[in-house]
C-alpha cells in the first residue's frame, strides 16, 4: 500500500542524505521524494511516497524520528489530505492528430507551454491518479520527455470534511 | 574585552569545550588536517592524550573506556585514511549503543570536494553508522555543534557521533564560545518521561506464574542494575541476560539463569520456552537471541525500552513501557507483588541441575573453560574482562560470572575481531586500580596486535589471555558441524611466536600447553599488577556448547552431551 509521509526537517546540508540514507540501509524503497523550503528558511518540508504495509511505515516513522534533524513526521491519509504532483510532458503530434491532442489538453485542464509543428509541451498538476491518467492518454501520441516533481501533500485542517 | 568574548582559534575552542565537558582522556593519532587542534592540545593540563598505533585502536579504546566507566569516550583522527580507520569502531559503537565522540580533521573548506590530499567525505561515509554527525564549516558554529553532539551521544539511547573539522576552521578565530541555542529538539537528549501505564504493566507481571526477566545492554547504559535486582527479588522472577547485559544482574545470584541465545545456557533457553511471561528490559530481541516470531511461545511478552523504534521491530509484544529503564522500573516496582512462584523456581533449579554448562576435561590438554574458571576464582570475579570475537568470547561469557555492570566489554552487535585488546586498554585507563583482562584468540589478537605498543608506552597493567588453537576457532566449529569438516581457510599455517612478540614489546609472556602447567600459568598471569600475556594452547577441536544452530530456534538447542547425536 502507498503511504505519503510529510516530514519537516532542519534545512542544512546533509539532511537529505541522512533521510534518504535511512531508507537505503533499512531496505525501504522511496517511490517519490519532493523537497522544498517552508516559510521558515531554517525548515524544509519533504514529501516521501513509499510502498509498504503498516509495519514498514511504522518502522520508517520511528527510525526517522530518531534523526536529530527530523522535526516532525506525519503519515498523510489520502482521503484527508491534498496530494499533488507537477509534471511536464513533451509529446509528438502530427497534423492529423493535433486537434485531438488539444481537446485532451482542454479536458485535463492542461497548460500548454510550447507548440511546434510536430510537438506539444504541456504542464499538468494533479494527484497521482490524474498524473498517471494523463500520461497513459498521451502515450499513444509518442512521449518525448517527461519531468515530474514527485508528490507533495498537505493535510486538510478540517479532518471531518471527508 | 572580557575573557569570554576574546577571540580564540577553533582548535583552542575545541580543547576548551572538551575540558568543559569533563573529558579527561582522549585516544588519537595526529596528522596534517588535525594538527592545529593537536597544537592546542599540547597545552592542555586537563586532558590526557593516548597515542595509539592505529585509529581502529583509538575508537575501540574509547569504547572500552566508555563501557567500563559509563562516561563519554573520545577518539581523534586526521582526515582521509585516519578518519576511515575509525569506521569499524564507530559501527561497533552504533550497534552496541556506546557513547563515543569522534573528532576528525578535514581538508580546508576551500579544498573540500576537490579530491585534495588525504580528503575523504567522512561526513557522508559515517551517516549510516553514527547516531549523529556534522561537518563544521565555521568556527562560530563550533560550540553549538559540540554541545549538540555530546548531548546526542549521551542522551536517550547512547551512540557514536562524529564531528568533522576542516583545518582552516581549527585556525579561524571566533568569539562564540558557548552555544546560544541548539538546533536539535530536546527529545533527542533529555531524559524521556516514562510513557505507558506502570500499574497495568506490573499487574500483568503479578498475574504470571512463570515469569522471566530478559535483560539487555540497555540496563548497563541506564545504570539500572539495582532496580533490576529489586524487581527480580520482589517478583521472585528468574533473570537471564543477553551477551550485552552480562553484569547488569549478578551472575552469582540464585535467580540468575545466565546468558540466553545462540551460546547461552541450556537452562536459560529452556526457561524461555517454558515461561508464561517474558519481560524484556533494555534488550532488542536480537536475532542471536530471538530467532523467530514464536520466541517465548507460551509467554505474554512485555518490553521496556528507551528507543520507541525497538518496539515490535523484530518480535511483536503485548505490553510496552517507553522510557529510561531505571525510571521505568522505579515506576513499576510499587505495584509489583511477590506471589508464590516456588514451583517455577524449583523447575528452574531442576533445569540448571539437569542441563549444566559442560565440557570434557579428561586428558592432558588445557580446556579453555577450565582455565577461565580458574582465572575467575583467582580474581574473585572482580576483574574487568574484555574479549575479542569467537569461541573465546563465548567461553568467557559462559564461565566468568559477572556480578557488576560495566565489567564486561565485548563486541555484541557487530562482532568485531580486534576489539578486545584496545577495549581493555581503554578500560584500564578508566579503571587504573582494577584488574583488566583481555581474553582473545590467535585470530582476533592479530587484528589490533600493534596496540601492544600502547600498553608498553604507558606501562599499563593490562593482562592478555590468549587462547591459541592455530585456527579461527568459531569458523572451524561451524565448518566441522555444518560444512562436513571442510576447513576452508580457517587454519593458521603460520602464527608468530606470541611470547617473543609480546616480550619484544616489553610485556612479560609465558606459554603453556599441558594441564599440569595451568596453576603455574595462572600464577604467572596474575602475580602482580603489571602487564602480562599468557598463551594457552588449546585443542583445535574444542567447541562452544550449548549452541543453537544458525537459523534455528530455542527448541533446536544442542548441548555438550548431544554432540554425538549431531555428528551422525
Amino acid at each position: 500500500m502507498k503511504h505519503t509521509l510529510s516530514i519537516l526537517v532542519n534545512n542544512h546540508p546533509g539532511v537529505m542524505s541522512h533521510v534518504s540514507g535511512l531508507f537505503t540501509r533499512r531496505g525501504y524503497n522511496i517511490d517519490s521524494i519532493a523537497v522544498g523550503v517552508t516559510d521558515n528558511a531554517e525548515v524544509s518540508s519533504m514529501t516521501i511516497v513509499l510502498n509498504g504495509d503498516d509495519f514498514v511505515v511504522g518502522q520508517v516513522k520511528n527510525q526517522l524520528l530518531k534523526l536529530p534533524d527530523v522535526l516532525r513526521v506525519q503519515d498523510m491519509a489520502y482521503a484527508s489530505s491534498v496530494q499533488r504532483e507537477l509534471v511536464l510532458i513533451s509529446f509528438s503530434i502530427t497534423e492529423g492528430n493535433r486537434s485531438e491532442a488539444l481537446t485532451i489538453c482542454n479536458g485535463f485542464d492542461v497548460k500548454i507551454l510550447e507548440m511546434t509543428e510536430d510537438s506539444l509541451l504541456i504542464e499538468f498538476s494533479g494527484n497521482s491518479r490524474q498524473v498517471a491518467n494523463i500520461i497513459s492518454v498521451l502515450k499513444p501520441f509518442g512521449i518525448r520527455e517527461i519531468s515530474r516533481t514527485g508528490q507533495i501533500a498537505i493535510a486538510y485542517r478540517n479532518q471531518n470534511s471527508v | 574585552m572580557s575573557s569570554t568574548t576574546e577571540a580564540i582559534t577553533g582548535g583552542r575552542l575545541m580543547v576548551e569545550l572538551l575540558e568543559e565537558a569533563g573529558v579527561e582522556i582522549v585516544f588519537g593519532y595526529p596528522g596534517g588536517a588535525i594538527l592545529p587542534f593537536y597544537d592546542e592540545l599540547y597545552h592542555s593540563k586537563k586532558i590526557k592524550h593516548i597515542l595509539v598505533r592505529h585509529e581502529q585502536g583509538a575508537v575501540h579504546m574509547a569504547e572500552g573506556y566508555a563501557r567500563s566507566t559509563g562516561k563519554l569516550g573520545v577518539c581523534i583522527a586526521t582526515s582521509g585514511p585516519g578518519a576511515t580507520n575509525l569506521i569499524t569502531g564507530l559501527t561497533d559503537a552504533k550497534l552496541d549503543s556506546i557513547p563515543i565522540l569522534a573528532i576528525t580533521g578535514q581538508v580546508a573548506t576551500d579544498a573540500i570536494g576537490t579530491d585534495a590530499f588525504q580528503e575523504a567525505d567522512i561526513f557522508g561515509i559515517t551517516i549510516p553508522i553514527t547516531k549523529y554527525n556534522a561537518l563544521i564549516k565555521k568556527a562560530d558554529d563550533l560550540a553549538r555543534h559540540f554541545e549538540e553532539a555530546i548531548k546526542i551521544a549521551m542522551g536517550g539511547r547512547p551512540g557514536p557521533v562524529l564531528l568533522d573539522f576542516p583545518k582552516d576552521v581549527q585556525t579561524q578565530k571566533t568569539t562564540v564560545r558557548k552555544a546560544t541555542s541548539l538546533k536539535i529538539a530536546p527529545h533527542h537528549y533529555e531524559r524521556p518521561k516514562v510513557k505507558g501505564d506502570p500499574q497495568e504493566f506490573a499487574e500483568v507481571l503479578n498475574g504470571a506464574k512463570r515469569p522471566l526477566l530478559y535483560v539487555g545492554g540497555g540496563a548497563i547504559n541506564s545504570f539500572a542494575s539495582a532496580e533490576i535486582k529489586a524487581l527480580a527479588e520482589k517478583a521472585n522472577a528468574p533473570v537471564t541476560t543477553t551477551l550485552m547485559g552480562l553484569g547488569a544482574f549478578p551472575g552469582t545470584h540464585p535467580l540468575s539463569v545466565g546468558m540466553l541465545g545462540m551460546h547461552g545456557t541450556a537452562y536459560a533457553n529452556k526457561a524461555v520456552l517454558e515461561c508464561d511471561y517474558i519481560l524484556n528490559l533494555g534488550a532488542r530481541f536480537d536475532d542471536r537471541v530471538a530467532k523467530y516470531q514464536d520466541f517465548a511461545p507460551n509467554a505474554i511478552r512485555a518490553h521496556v525500552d528507551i528507543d520507541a523504534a525497538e518496539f515490535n521491530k523484530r518480535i511483536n509484544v503485548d505490553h510496552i513501557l517507553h522510557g529510561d529503564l531505571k525510571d521505568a522500573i522505579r515506576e513499576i516496582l510499587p505495584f509489583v507483588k511477590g506471589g508464590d512462584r516456588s514451583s517455577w523456581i524449583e523447575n528452574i533449579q531442576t533445569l540448571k541441575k539437569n542441563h549444566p554448562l559442560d565440557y570434557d576435561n579428561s586428558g592432558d590438554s588445557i580446556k579453555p573453560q577450565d582455565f577461565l574458571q580458574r582465572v575467575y576464582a583467582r580474581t574473585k570475579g572482580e576483574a574487568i574482562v574484555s574479549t575479542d570475537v569467537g569461541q573465546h568470547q563465548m567461553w568467557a561469557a559462559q564461565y566468568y560470572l559477572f556480578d557488576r555492570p560495566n565489567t564486561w566489554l565485548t563486541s555484541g552487535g557487530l562482532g568485531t575481531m580486534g576489539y578486545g585488546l584496545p577495549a581493555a586498554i581503554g578500560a584500564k585507563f578508566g579503571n587504573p586500580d582494577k584488574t583488566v583482562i583481555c581474553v582473545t584468540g590467535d585470530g582476533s589478537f592479530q587484528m589490533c596486535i600493534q596496540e601492544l605498543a600502547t600498553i608498553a608506552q604507558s606501562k599499563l597493567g593490562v593482562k592478555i589471555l590468549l587462547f591459541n588453537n592455530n585456527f579461527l576457532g568459531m569458523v572451524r566449529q561451524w565448518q566441522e558441524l555444518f560444512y562436513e569438516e571442510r576447513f576452508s581457510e580457517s587454519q593458521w599455517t603460520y602464527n608468530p611466536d606470541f611470547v617473543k612478540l609480546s616480550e619484544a614489546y616489553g610485556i612479560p609472556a609465558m606459554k603453556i600447553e599441558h594441564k599440569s602447567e595451568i596453576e603455574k600459568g595462572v600464577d604467572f598471569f596474575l602475580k602482580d599488577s603489571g602487564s602480562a600475556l599468557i598463551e594457552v594452547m588449546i585443542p583445535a577441536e574444542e567447541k562452544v556448547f550449548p549452541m543453537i544452530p544458525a537459523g534455528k530456534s530455542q527448541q533446536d538447542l544442542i548441548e555438550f552431551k548431544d554432540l554425538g547425536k549431531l555428528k551422525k
Side-chain angles (χ1 to χ4, degrees):
Chain A
M1 193 187 154
K2 279 205 196 306
H3 286 260
T4 308
L5 297 180
S6 171
I7 306 163
L8 291 184
V9 296
N10 282 326
N11 177 23
H12 57 75
V15 176
M16 182 80 168
S17 299
H18 273 116
V19 171
S20 59
L22 187 148
F23 281 78
T24 314
R25 75 176 180 280
R26 301 236 171 227
Y28 307 130
N29 192 32
I30 296 177
D31 280 8
S32 92
I33 184 165
V35 192
V37 69
T38 63
D39 59 315
N40 177 352
E42 301 211 327
V43 175
S44 286
S45 158
M46 285 188 183
T47 308
I48 292 180
V49 181
L50 76 151
N51 218 332
D53 55 21
D54 288 347
F55 168 76
V56 167
V57 174
Q59 270 293 305
V60 168
K61 271 165 70 179
N62 281 334
Q63 297 293 348
L64 280 170
L65 285 168
K66 282 163 70 172
L67 298 177
D69 282 314
V70 170
L71 309 171
R72 190 197 73 187
V73 181
Q74 210 181 350
D75 190 1
M76 298 274 192
Y78 192 79
S80 53
S81 62
V82 189
Q83 312 211 347
R84 289 290 181 272
E85 181 173 5
L86 179 72
V87 60
L88 301 174
I89 306 175
S90 162
F91 62 99
S92 306
I93 49 170
T94 59
E95 228 176 290
N97 64 19
R98 177 180 291 142
S99 64
E100 186 195 346
L102 290 172
T103 312
I104 290 171
C105 289
N106 273 333
F108 271 95
D109 202 10
V110 156
K111 201 185 258 180
I112 295 169
L113 305 175
E114 185 191 41
M115 192 184 330
T116 68
E117 255 178 30
D118 62 351
S119 75
L120 267 176
L121 171 59
I122 62 147
E123 169 191 323
F124 175 75
S125 80
N127 63 36
S128 53
R129 195 173 305 157
Q130 292 165 323
V131 170
N133 196 4
I134 194 163
I135 291 170
S136 78
V137 169
L138 296 180
K139 216 167 199 171
F141 289 89
I143 289 177
R144 295 180 165 186
E145 207 176 338
I146 284 187
S147 183
R148 302 171 71 160
T149 58
Q151 194 166 303
I152 54 169
I154 203 161
Y156 287 114
R157 295 292 299 168
N158 181 357
Q159 290 290 310
N160 299 323
S161 63
V162 190
Chain B
M1 206 181 272
S2 79
S3 67
T4 50
T5 54
E6 189 192 331
I8 56 169
T9 64
R12 177 75 223 138
L13 181 57
M14 286 161 75
V15 173
E16 277 186 13
L17 291 169
L18 283 172
E19 289 175 347
E20 279 165 27
V23 173
E24 292 165 350
I25 189 164
V26 296
F27 304 91
Y29 201 111
I34 194 74
L35 275 182
F37 167 77
Y38 266 90
D39 193 48
E40 294 293 349
L41 190 62
Y42 187 76
H43 304 291
S44 175
K45 292 189 174 60
K46 292 184 183 157
I47 299 173
K48 182 172 177 174
H49 179 275
I50 305 303
L51 177 62
V52 301
R53 293 304 183 272
H54 187 292
E55 290 85 351
Q56 186 181 355
V59 58
H60 291 326
M61 283 177 211
E63 282 189 279
Y65 176 82
R67 288 191 198 214
S68 62
T69 62
K71 297 180 194 165
L72 178 73
V74 181
C75 59
I76 296 152
T78 190
S79 64
T84 54
N85 280 345
L86 297 175
I87 301 298
T88 304
L90 291 173
T91 315
D92 191 276
K94 179 79 175 354
L95 275 168
D96 285 349
S97 308
I98 309 301
I100 297 293
L101 169 63
I103 292 173
T104 51
Q106 181 56 275
V107 301
T109 45
D110 61 357
I112 288 177
T114 65
D115 303 321
F117 177 66
Q118 291 199 327
E119 183 188 2
D121 173 18
I122 201 65
F123 171 79
I125 293 171
T126 54
I127 284 175
I129 57 163
T130 51
K131 190 176 171 194
Y132 176 74
N133 67 358
L135 167 65
I136 289 133
K137 293 218 173 117
K138 47 183 199 288
D140 287 352
D141 292 341
L142 216 147
R144 174 177 66 80
H145 277 296
F146 241 85
E147 189 171 336
E148 285 177 346
I150 291 175
K151 282 194 150 124
I152 290 173
M154 300 289 286
R157 178 180 181 168
V161 298
L162 180 140
L163 295 179
D164 197 25
F165 296 95
K167 193 169 184 180
D168 56 325
V169 172
Q170 298 168 47
T171 52
Q172 241 172 48
K173 293 222 167 174
T174 179
T175 55
V176 187
R177 295 163 76 163
K178 281 219 161 17
T180 46
S181 68
L182 300 185
K183 283 200 169 179
I184 50 164
H187 73 262
H188 289 294
Y189 52 87
E190 277 178 3
R191 201 165 169 136
K193 267 194 136 83
V194 177
K195 285 187 219 115
D197 184 344
Q199 183 170 0
E200 190 193 296
F201 203 82
E203 276 162 11
V204 185
L205 168 60
N206 293 339
K209 290 197 172 65
R210 302 185 302 279
L212 180 68
L213 308 186
Y214 152 39
V215 175
I220 312 268
N221 284 335
S222 102
F223 305 95
S225 295
E227 284 74 13
I228 289 170
K229 189 158 171 262
L231 176 65
E233 287 173 350
K234 193 168 181 191
N236 209 6
V239 180
T240 179
T241 76
T242 65
L243 181 71
M244 289 296 293
L246 288 175
F249 184 75
T252 52
H253 195 286
L255 284 169
S256 169
V257 289
M259 183 171 78
L260 89 164
M262 183 177 260
H263 293 296
T265 63
Y267 35 93
N269 283 305
K270 288 180 190 292
V272 168
L273 291 174
E274 292 181 21
C275 66
D276 68 351
Y277 173 86
I278 191 158
L279 174 53
N280 175 338
L281 300 169
R284 57 190 177 99
F285 292 110
D286 168 57
D287 58 279
R288 292 277 144 137
V289 166
K291 193 69 205 175
Y292 290 113
Q293 201 45 258
D294 65 356
F295 175 72
N298 306 308
I300 295 170
R301 301 172 192 152
H303 192 180
V304 185
D305 210 293
I306 198 162
D307 183 355
E310 288 302 329
F311 297 128
N312 298 312
K313 186 178 87 176
R314 290 197 64 254
I315 302 286
N316 290 332
V317 293
D318 306 296
H319 299 278
I320 284 168
L321 262 193
H322 177 212
D324 178 80
L325 194 54
K326 192 185 186 85
D327 298 342
I329 299 176
R330 281 185 177 169
E331 291 192 21
I332 301 167
L333 265 173
F335 304 109
V336 172
K337 295 196 189 101
D340 176 25
R341 303 212 162 96
S342 51
S343 71
W344 173 229
I345 301 295
E346 243 169 70
N347 189 351
I348 295 277
Q349 297 309 335
T350 313
L351 286 175
K352 278 186 168 181
K353 204 163 72 197
N354 294 343
H355 303 275
L357 282 172
D358 204 4
Y359 59 95
D360 176 9
N361 203 15
S362 60
D364 180 44
S365 61
I366 304 173
K367 290 303 173 79
Q369 301 91 332
D370 182 14
F371 197 87
L372 281 162
Q373 281 175 314
R374 288 169 197 253
V375 170
Y376 174 73
R378 191 69 71 91
T379 56
K380 302 187 184 72
E382 284 171 3
I384 294 176
V385 176
S386 82
T387 75
D388 267 301
V389 170
Q391 288 182 311
H392 66 271
Q393 177 189 29
M394 293 300 135
W395 287 319
Q398 291 173 337
Y399 289 91
Y400 199 98
L401 303 179
F402 295 91
D403 277 343
R404 279 183 302 282
N406 306 96
T407 55
W408 164 247
L409 320 172
T410 201
S411 170
L414 194 64
T416 308
M417 291 171 72
Y419 169 87
L421 182 63
I425 295 171
K428 185 68 182 178
F429 277 116
N431 303 269
D433 301 329
K434 294 208 176 132
T435 303
V436 177
I437 300 173
C438 164
V439 181
T440 187
D442 50 322
S444 288
F445 189 41
Q446 293 183 67
M447 282 210 178
C448 275
I449 200 164
Q450 68 279 32
E451 299 308 333
L452 286 175
T454 309
I455 295 179
Q457 180 165 328
S458 298
K459 300 191 172 50
L460 206 62
V462 168
K463 310 284 188 184
I464 301 154
L465 167 50
L466 168 66
F467 287 122
N468 186 355
N469 57 4
N470 292 310
F471 260 98
L472 295 174
M474 192 61 96
V475 172
R476 187 194 188 284
Q477 172 165 342
W478 282 46
Q479 288 173 331
E480 184 181 327
L481 298 176
F482 311 119
Y483 294 87
E484 295 165 341
E485 303 192 358
R486 290 185 295 277
F487 299 122
S488 179
E489 300 299 323
S490 56
Q491 183 171 21
W492 296 115
T493 51
Y494 179 79
N495 256 339
D497 182 331
F498 288 111
V499 170
K500 273 191 188 161
L501 184 84
S502 181
E503 285 171 350
Y505 283 104
I507 297 169
M510 180 183 181
K511 176 177 179 171
I512 57 171
E513 293 181 72
H514 306 285
K515 209 185 237 167
S516 56
E517 302 167 294
I518 289 186
E519 279 307 307
K520 199 170 66 184
V522 176
D523 282 344
F524 167 82
F525 187 52
L526 297 168
K527 66 171 185 259
D528 58 25
S529 59
S531 61
L533 178 143
I534 179 103
E535 181 182 8
V536 181
M537 301 305 296
I538 61 167
E541 54 281 354
E542 190 59 30
K543 279 178 274 300
V544 181
F545 285 109
M547 175 181 199
I548 300 172
K552 299 280 177 65
S553 68
Q554 252 92 15
Q555 277 95 339
D556 307 296
L557 179 103
I558 307 160
E559 294 177 62
F560 172 70
K561 60 185 179 188
D562 302 327
L563 182 59
K565 257 189 286 181
L566 187 79
K567 283 276 191 139
K568 274 169 214 162

